[in-house]
Structures are given as structure tokens and as C-alpha cells.
Amino acid sequence: MTKRGLVKSRTGFGAVLGCLLLAATAVPAVAAPGSQPAGGGDGWVLSTTDPAKNYSPTFVGNGYLGARVPAEGHGFSSKPIVTQSQLAGFYGAPSAGQEERAGLPTWTTLGFGRGGDVYGLGQWSCGFGQLCPAAYGKVSGGAFVESSHPGSVAGAYLAGLNTNNTPTVGGTGVVPIRDAPAGPATLAVRYGNGSGSPQTVHIGVNGTLRQLTVPSLASWDDWAVVSVPVTLNAGANTLEVTVAEGDTARVNVDYLAVHPDGTPLPTQVAPATVGTTTHYRQAIDLRTGVLTTSFDWTSPAGDTTSFDYEVNANRAEGHLGTVSVRAVPHWSGTATAVDAFDGRGLDHASTTDPRVDDRTATLSQTVVSDGKLVTAGLSSVLRVDEKTVPTRALADPGDGGAGQRADFAVRAGVPVRITKYVGVASSVDTDRPLAAATPAQAAAKTASRAAGDGYRRALVRNSDAWARLWQSSISVPGDTTMTAQVHASMFYLLASVRAGVVWSASPGGLSSDGYSGHVFWDMETWMYPALLAQYPDIAADANTYRQQRLPAARAAAAALSTPDHPIAGAKFPWQSALSGKETTPDWSPDGKQEIHINSDIALAQWQYYEVTGDKTWLRDQAWPVLQGIADYWATRAVPGPAGGYVINDVKGADEYHDNVDNSASTNAGAQASLRIAIRAAGIVGRRADPAWGKVADGLKIPVDAGANIHPEFDGYAGQTVKQADVTLLQYPWAVPMSPGVAQNDLDYYKARTDPDGPSMTDAIATIAGAALGSPGCAVYTSLRDSADPYLAAPFDQWYETRTGGAFDFTTGQGGYLQEFLYGFTGLRWGTDSVTVDPFLPPQLPGVDVTGVKWHGRTFDLSVGQRTTTLTLRSGPPLPVSVGGAGVRQVRPGAALRVPTRHPAGDAADCGP
């Protein structure tokens, strides 16, 4: 995948949340092979007791609503990854850009404490003589906190002071200073400026502003310090960086620091901590999607409280999120609970109509995405020990946030449970009748009903819903570490999709706005097959998403037609969002050249029919898409100079090469799409255009006879490849070829694939190698290479590349899951039977896959070192082809046992 480089603008922030001091790296942190999951040996619970080491925050999601939850256990944090709250289908249209996923206010904020010392809501300040990270300050006016450039002292910095070469006038970062002596001092500003020219911003002390000019540096990854004289008041002071009219402001700000004149620059970085935290543990239970954070917190005033936070996006009720804290104060007096929607989480959206109903303890707010594309309603009902306690509104923070607080008496040692029930709905929901209620009304109803039922009922319903999903699972017997990685991969994928929510998943799922929340081939090629095997009812919505946007795809094809080259059918966008129009930036060639997306969509539609056998669906829903794609390929291809047909001026799956002719993977996909449409036409009684077969037969996938490989495109001469491309011919395209050519392709392109490319490449090598029975350590090595460099501790999430990139990368997770579903089992779909052809390297004790669906049947596969067992759990007899041989009928209660293949040669020692 190509990084789009889209500029992300984030609205202003509210009061700064107190947080633990995190020093996490923004690249994968991998547990040693063979180690145990942090939460124990069952492969379901992942945990940490030290978020200062190898920590990337996890997220909770139910396929409609998602939220990344920082180490604090609730609320907003800017590092090591900015907290985001995502909603399926919630897209905005910035004034100077394409449709992008918008972000809700952070809905997980729930504080508790006494007086002004409320956990998670204390006012951060920095000491005189310390380095004060700008990321910890109050950010507003369109500026935001970012972490994409290395070298900042806190892992994040103030950014967004200039967007698309336009100064963000009013963009501001404020840092409060404490314990300052009165009189002259030096203010140091550490900045980044890779613009190529000097840049200006305004700095201020206690409201008095002056313009500051900072020189250009070698790159945006470099930092420098400029110093200016200032005069301070005794005690508290306020430092400010802001963009005024006339500023150029193409600059990032790492920290501010005030220190005595004539003294060296301070070296101590001010901690982000408000109070102190001990006995910390955070764990996610993948079986239920509940994230628990436990710790003891001592406030700046000396009050100690024990906290147990639980955050959940309810799987049974997609529109419900809950945050509940069991607090045990080790003090007596009047306590305060604060329930807030934190405006710092807003992205490409604004809020209106904040309200607090003090009688029912209900906080509500309306969120409108940029361009007024989508309206969402938020409603939060606060309960203390399941009782209503009167609340009052918090003062408007001025950043789009809103909140309410309740005050009540507590006694030392007596637990109190505080719960917020959050309802969410939008104007583009696909799982509820839109005419029945406005988003605000629907959200309020969800929150009120959940509060009436109580927290225990919400958890039980959530657990039951997840338990039904986990009737289908994948595990590696005897290897709890790998099993946990597999469970986590499926959990994060399921957390981003659900049946009835017709919004396809982006490469970051609901964990973030990575890749602007756009939908690429990542869904159809990488995530969708992992869902299809066990959750076809959920996978179906990815197909429905494309079907609903067929008119836009037809319009896109028509717009490409010229008198010299008429184009028919449907051209689906490389990047899709709300409308189905192309959302790839104009400067990128991908929207015009990565036309293989059409074939990826056609294959996904066909695979769903193969798995379900639903001819009515094929006729009424999928056929128009398959027909449109076939018409497109039949007119996009042109007669070749040597006969047959060619497809020119494309970019294949290997995104390092633009404007190539006869991309092997593009041609293979087009050929398959045309033949799929021909088969579908025969099934549903429609006419297949004769041109489809003519073009399909005329498209060639050349073989280099000398090297005995498939060249990637015309003129390919061994250049570095970004990711799997030619190897896709074997899986999923199943292009006929000899075993020798197939193995040569794997070996040749492995040596030429960029090791810093995206994580899903090696998954194809694993699946194809297992099908071939590749010798030695090849398959096991590619299995490890497909996961180990990309996993982030402690919650087994995925980075896009070895050095970072999109996070959490559901694309990579989908590829990893396919290795177990289709690689080691040899499972392949057919319209009349399924095929199994198991293979296992000696390093794996086995692979168990349960709850696989096909034509109304449910079956399990257990791949052992010697024998593989297929058991039909329910449904009529299952026709099974073993290794492509004759079909056997497996009856319910009976088991089919077949030999497990192994690699030839020495595969005993494959390294660590």
C-alpha cells in the first residue's frame, strides 16, 4: 500500500488529562519466540504491568463503535499514539480535500477524586528549569499533537500550525509554568523546520506575544533550539505558541523551557504525571473485549484511591459503549465523578448543542463531520452504584468537548462503582431505521435503556455475543504465544466489522483514522477471506458496501471513455469512503492505475457465492457488480501488437512501479474476473458477452523461459518489489503453472522484495509454499517473517511495516489469519465441494480451526503432524475433495482423516 501523505487536521483540545509517563517506541516491540502471553497461558488474555516499556495502547470495538484506550485506562492521551474514537461510516469532507474519516470526541473519559484532584482530569503544569513538552499542554484552534517524526523528548510534539501551506491562524499550544522566580529568564524553544526556508510563529509569556523566526533545518526529522529573553512573574506563568496573521508557521514545536539567564539548557523532562501511580496492570480479555486497568493513585494532595477501570464497546448492542470504574478511596469525604466527551479526540468534525440533564444525569452532544456529510448523536448516562446522582454541567472547555460532574459522600475502604453508559448513533447508520429516530434520539434511547438494565446486564449480553463468535476459532495446540497472536488478530478484525453495519473496513479498522479511513483492496484481498471462512454473515457486508456504490463505479468508468477508447462497465475506486467516488488525492497516480481493485472485488463477490451457494444473492446482488467489472475489463484491455490482448499503463500490487504494461497480477485478476462473470451468467440465467471470453483467453501472463519465472510486467528486470505481486498468481488467483515455475517465483521475488515493505507479503509465501510443499524451512520461515517483525507489545497489535506505519494494521492481521485458514489446511472453496490438502512444518505442533462454514454446513479441521481430521459439526453431508482428488462425503458425527504433508529435506532447524 502506498502512504497517501494526507494532512490530518485535528481540532482543539480541552483540559489536559493527567497520564502516566510513557516512553513507548512507535515501532513494533516483539516478544521473544516461545514466550508466554503476558496475561497467562490460555492465549486469550494479554496484559502489562509496565506501560513505560514496549507499550502500544490497544483499542476496544464492536464493529460499529471503536475507541483506543490509553495506559490511563480511560480518556484521551496524545502518546505514544493519539487516542481516537471511531464510528463506522462517519466521514467528513474537508474544504480542501477528499472524504476522510472523522473522529468523535473521546467518549471514554470518566474521572474520580476529591476537590480539584480528579484522576485523569488534573491540570498539568511544568516546573521552572524543566523541559516542558508542548504535547502535554493545552492545544486548540486547529493545531494538534503528532508523533510521526522521531527525536521529540516525549514521543510527540505540537503540529498543525500550518496545513497544506496555509497557516492555521489561531492554532495554539499553551504550557503552564509553576514555581518561577520573578524577573529575567531565558525561554528555549525546540522546533522542527524542514520547509527549506525560515518560518515564523508567535510566542507569548502571560499573554504578551512576539514574533519568533526559526531557521530551516536539513529535514523534518531534525530538531534545533532557539532562545529568547523573557520576564516572568513569581510563581505561576503561562507560555504560549500561536499562529497570528502574517505568520508562515510551517514548524513543529517539541518543547518550551524557561531557565535562569546564563545557565545551560535544562535536561530534565517534565513528567506527564498528575499524582503518582503504583501497582499498575492493564489487560484485555479477547474473549469479551473488556479492557481492564487497575492501579493505586495518590493525588497531589496525598489522597490514595484504588482504581479498577473497565472499558467496553458492547458486542450485543453496537450503539453502546460503557466505562465503569470500581474505586476504593482510602479517605473519607465528598468525592467527585466527572463524565466527559473530550474534544481533543475530534477530527474533521465539530460539535453542537451540548446539554446536561441534571435530574437524569445525562450528558448529550451532537457531532457534525466537516462538510456536514454525517451527523452523530452522543448521549452518556452517569450512575453511581447503579443509582442516579444529580449532576451539573462542567464549564465549556472551548475545544468541542462537554462534561458533567456528580458530587457524593464516600467512606475510606468502601468501594463505589461509577459507570457511564454511552449511546451513539449517526445519520448514515445501516443497522437501524433512520426514519424512526434522529441520531440524538437513538443515542439517548440506547444509553437510557442500558442504564436502566444495569452494568452487569450489559456485560453479560456483551460476553454472550462474543461467546457466539468464538464458537469459531483458530489455535495452535501447545503454543499459547502463537495462539494468542492468532486470537488477537481475529479479535481486532472482528472489533472493526459486524453484521448489518454496511461499512467496509479500512487498513486500520476502527482503531484509528489510518489511511483516512478509506477502503482499499486490503478488505477484499486480505481481511475478507479471513472473515469469510468462519463469519460469512459478517463478510457479506463488505460485498454489500461495493454493491451499493455500483452507480458511482459506473459513472467513473463512463468518465474515462473517449471516442478513441470507449470504456464500459464499472470502475471501482482505489480509495473509497462515503460516496463511492474516488478519494485518492489528485496528485497520486494510484486512482487511475491501481485498477486491480476491480478484480479483487469480483473475486470477493464470487467467493461469497462459493461459500454460501446462495443463487438468489448471486443473481440479485452480485451479478450487476460482476457484469460491470467484466464489461470494464473487456473494454479496458486493447488488442496487442502480437495478437491477443494487453492492459497498459497500470500499477500492479507492487506499488514501487507506475505506468507499467501487462502487470502479471493485474492481467491475472482481469482474466479471472471475466471468467467468473461467464460462470455467474450461466448460473443465474443471464447472457455473457462473447467479448468476455475472447479477452480472457487473449490476456497472457508471460513466462521468462530463461529464468523460468513470471516477469512482473513488460520490461521487468529484477527491480526491488514493494510487496506480494507475482506471488499472488498462485494464491488467490490460482493461475495454472508448473510446480517448478511456482517455486521459482517464490524464491526469485523473495530475494527482490523490500524487507521494509508491508507486513502481509510473507503470508502469501506461506500459503503458496504450503500448497507446493516447499522444501526445508521455507514455509515456517515465511510464517515467522509474516508476523514477528510487526507485532507490538503488549497486546499483539500490528504495525504496517518493521519501522511503523499504519497501526493497528488489520490488513496484516488478515493475511496472518489466512495462513492458518487456507495455508496449513489447504482449504479451498468450490461451488460443489470444498478442498483440503493439509501441510505442516515440524515446528508447528498442529493447527485447529473450528466453525468453518460452507453451504449451510459447519465443520472443524484439526491439522496434526501425521493426520488431519475433518469433522462435520452440523448440516447435511459435506462433499470434500482431498488434494484435488475424488470427492468424499463426510456425514455429521463422522470424521474424515487424511495424511498431513510435510516439507521435503531438512526442516528441523529453522533458527529462532
Side-chain angles (χ1 to χ4, degrees):
M1 296 187 37
T2 300
K3 292 185 178 179
R4 281 24 185 215
L6 298 177
V7 177
K8 178 173 64 178
S9 61
R10 194 170 296 279
T11 60
F13 294 176
V16 174
L17 298 180
C19 58
L20 301 171
L21 179 59
L22 307 180
T25 178
V27 296
V30 183
S35 64
Q36 296 296 312
D42 62 359
W44 287 105
V45 178
L46 300 169
S47 69
T48 183
T49 57
D50 186 1
K53 295 180 181 178
N54 291 342
Y55 179 85
S56 295
T58 189
F59 84 102
V60 296
N62 60 23
Y64 173 76
L65 175 66
R68 189 166 294 286
V69 182
E72 294 80 10
H74 79 127
F76 180 88
S77 180
S78 61
K79 67 183 202 62
I81 296 167
V82 174
T83 298
Q84 297 183 7
S85 297
Q86 302 296 332
L87 185 64
F90 194 53
Y91 288 101
S95 58
Q98 307 285 355
E99 296 171 357
E100 298 186 40
R101 173 172 284 164
L104 297 172
T106 301
W107 56 266
T108 57
T109 300
L110 180 63
F112 174 83
R114 172 158 64 171
D117 292 334
V118 174
Y119 174 74
L121 297 169
Q123 178 61 48
W124 175 80
S125 63
C126 180
F128 180 81
Q130 291 183 326
L131 304 181
C132 310
Y136 296 166
K138 181 177 180 180
V139 181
S140 62
F144 54 84
V145 172
E146 191 176 67
S147 58
S148 59
H149 296 294
S152 60
V153 296
Y157 49 86
L158 175 67
L161 301 177
N162 182 299
T163 302
N164 293 332
N165 266 335
T166 302
T168 310
V169 176
T172 301
V174 175
V175 172
I177 300 295
R178 65 179 183 275
D179 304 327
T186 296
L187 168 62
V189 181
R190 190 174 192 240
Y191 71 94
N193 173 14
S195 69
S197 62
Q199 298 292 310
T200 61
V201 291
H202 275 68
I203 59 171
V205 177
N206 299 324
T208 301
L209 297 174
R210 73 175 75 172
Q211 191 175 65
L212 178 68
T213 299
V214 296
S216 181
L217 306 176
S219 77
W220 284 106
D221 291 341
D222 293 307
W223 301 92
V225 175
V226 294
S227 297
V228 296
V230 295
T231 301
L232 301 179
N233 299 327
N237 291 262
T238 299
L239 305 181
E240 179 179 354
V241 177
T242 191
V243 181
E245 291 286 352
D247 282 334
T248 53
R250 290 189 65 192
V251 63
N252 297 325
V253 178
D254 181 22
Y255 65 68
L256 307 176
V258 283
H259 58 99
D261 286 344
T263 64
L265 186 70
T267 58
Q268 181 186 16
V269 180
T273 306
V274 177
T276 57
T277 302
T278 57
H279 304 110
Y280 178 90
R281 183 177 186 268
Q282 188 174 69
I284 189 164
D285 190 333
L286 302 172
R287 291 165 298 199
T288 64
V290 175
L291 180 70
T292 303
T293 311
S294 304
F295 52 90
D296 292 336
W297 178 67
T298 301
S299 74
D303 294 331
T304 298
T305 305
S306 298
F307 287 92
D308 289 284
Y309 273 96
E310 294 175 340
V311 182
N312 174 244
N314 196 285
R315 188 76 203 190
E317 169 54 85
H319 294 260
L320 175 66
T322 57
V323 185
S324 187
V325 59
R326 181 182 183 271
V328 182
H330 302 290
W331 47 271
S332 298
T334 299
T336 297
V338 174
D339 165 20
F341 299 141
D342 194 324
R344 289 175 295 176
L346 273 172
D347 193 13
H348 298 311
S350 58
T351 60
T352 63
D353 199 25
R355 297 185 182 185
V356 171
D357 184 332
D358 56 357
R359 183 180 58 83
T360 62
T362 301
L363 168 68
S364 62
Q365 191 174 49
T366 297
V367 189
V368 181
S369 69
D370 289 354
K372 299 182 179 179
L373 293 190
V374 183
T375 298
L378 291 178
S379 181
S380 178
V381 175
L382 186 67
R383 293 292 182 261
V384 178
D385 286 333
E386 300 293 2
K387 298 177 181 179
T388 304
V389 175
T391 61
R392 54 192 173 93
L394 297 179
D396 182 357
D399 60 5
Q404 62 178 341
R405 63 177 288 171
D407 299 308
F408 47 90
V410 296
R411 287 188 297 148
V414 178
V416 57
R417 178 168 290 280
I418 307 156
T419 304
K420 61 183 294 185
Y421 302 86
V422 181
V424 186
S426 89
S427 58
V428 294
D429 289 339
T430 61
D431 59 345
R432 68 180 183 89
L434 295 180
T438 66
Q441 292 167 339
K445 184 177 181 180
T446 296
S448 176
R449 182 175 62 242
D453 291 343
Y455 183 57
R456 183 177 298 275
R457 173 62 177 158
L459 280 188
V460 168
R461 293 182 67 235
N462 169 75
S463 297
D464 288 347
W466 274 107
R468 288 190 292 272
L469 291 177
W470 290 125
Q471 290 177 13
S472 298
S473 68
I474 307 169
S475 61
V476 181
D479 191 333
T480 53
T481 297
M482 187 171 287
T483 295
Q485 293 167 358
V486 173
H487 287 166
S489 293
M490 185 61 82
F491 170 79
Y492 295 123
L493 185 52
L494 289 171
S496 296
V497 291
R498 66 183 291 119
V501 175
V502 187
W503 295 103
S504 197
S506 72
L510 286 179
S511 72
S512 73
D513 61 0
Y515 284 99
S516 298
H518 292 171
V519 180
F520 299 79
W521 74 315
D522 300 59
M523 184 59 186
E524 279 81 8
T525 301
W526 304 100
M527 295 178 263
Y528 172 86
L531 293 167
L532 181 64
Q534 297 169 306
Y535 308 101
D537 58 328
I538 296 176
D541 287 322
N543 291 326
T544 305
Y545 171 81
R546 298 296 190 179
Q547 293 159 5
Q548 291 178 348
R549 285 153 186 79
L550 180 58
R554 286 177 171 148
L560 294 172
S561 188
T562 67
D564 293 334
H565 190 176
I567 300 292
K571 178 192 178 296
F572 283 89
W574 174 238
Q575 297 189 41
S576 183
L578 181 70
S579 64
K581 297 178 181 179
E582 182 62 72
T583 55
T584 302
D586 294 338
W587 50 261
S588 169
D590 295 357
K592 296 179 180 179
Q593 295 189 8
E594 292 219 46
I595 55 177
H596 66 83
I597 182 69
N598 259 21
S599 303
D600 305 315
I601 292 169
L603 181 60
Q605 302 274 329
W606 178 248
Q607 286 173 330
Y608 184 79
Y609 170 69
E610 287 184 307
V611 167
T612 65
D614 189 338
K615 292 182 180 179
T616 301
W617 175 89
L618 180 64
R619 180 193 66 208
D620 297 341
Q621 305 299 322
W623 168 250
V625 173
L626 297 175
Q627 181 187 39
I629 290 173
D631 284 340
Y632 173 79
W633 284 125
T635 52
R636 178 62 170 82
V638 296
Y645 288 87
V646 296
I647 301 175
N648 295 329
D649 194 22
V650 301
K651 178 186 286 190
D654 170 19
E655 294 178 321
Y656 283 172
H657 299 97
D658 301 332
N659 305 305
V660 304
D661 296 339
N662 286 317
S663 154
S665 59
T666 301
N667 283 13
Q671 188 177 70
S673 300
L674 290 162
R675 290 173 175 162
I676 284 170
I678 294 170
R679 289 190 65 186
I683 294 169
V684 302
R686 298 292 194 268
R687 176 183 178 273
D689 187 331
W692 298 351
K694 182 179 180 181
V695 173
D697 293 341
L699 283 171
K700 304 301 181 184
I701 305 172
V703 175
D704 181 330
N708 206 27
I709 62 163
H710 291 96
E712 187 180 290
F713 51 81
D714 286 354
Y716 177 74
Q719 301 97 315
T720 299
V721 172
K722 178 182 179 182
Q723 59 194 11
D725 186 300
V726 169
T727 53
L728 296 171
L729 270 57
Q730 297 177 51
Y731 178 89
W733 293 118
V735 173
M737 66 184 76
S738 70
V741 170
Q743 188 62 58
N744 286 347
D745 278 348
L746 292 180
D747 296 340
Y748 181 87
Y749 287 101
K750 181 177 179 61
R752 287 158 178 81
T753 300
D754 187 350
D756 292 326
S759 61
M760 66 278 193
T761 293
D762 287 294
I764 298 301
T766 301
I767 298 168
L772 286 169
S774 294
C777 295
V779 174
Y780 182 70
T781 299
S782 60
L783 169 67
R784 299 310 299 254
D785 288 348
S786 73
D788 290 352
Y790 310 101
L791 281 164
F795 300 116
D796 284 351
Q797 296 171 99
W798 286 59
Y799 279 90
E800 181 179 11
T801 71
R802 287 170 169 83
T803 56
F807 179 83
D808 183 32
F809 193 49
T810 48
T811 304
Q813 291 162 345
Y816 185 59
L817 291 167
Q818 288 190 62
E819 295 176 72
F820 297 92
L821 289 165
Y822 304 104
F824 302 120
T825 65
L827 177 65
R828 297 294 186 272
W829 308 119
T831 56
D832 300 315
S833 65
V834 298
T835 296
V836 294
D837 192 14
F839 172 94
L840 207 63
Q843 291 77 14
L844 289 183
V847 173
D848 290 338
V849 180
T850 65
V852 181
K853 311 295 193 301
W854 185 83
H855 286 222
R857 287 92 160 167
T858 300
F859 63 94
D860 304 334
L861 280 164
S862 180
V863 183
Q865 276 291 335
R866 294 187 176 182
T867 303
T868 292
T869 303
L870 185 152
T871 305
L872 180 59
R873 186 189 298 179
S874 65
L878 175 69
V880 181
S881 173
V882 179
V887 175
R888 308 184 197 180
Q889 296 290 332
V890 181
R891 299 187 178 279
L896 173 64
R897 293 181 174 84
V898 299
T900 302
R901 296 178 297 115
H902 301 95
D906 182 12
D909 183 11
C910 295

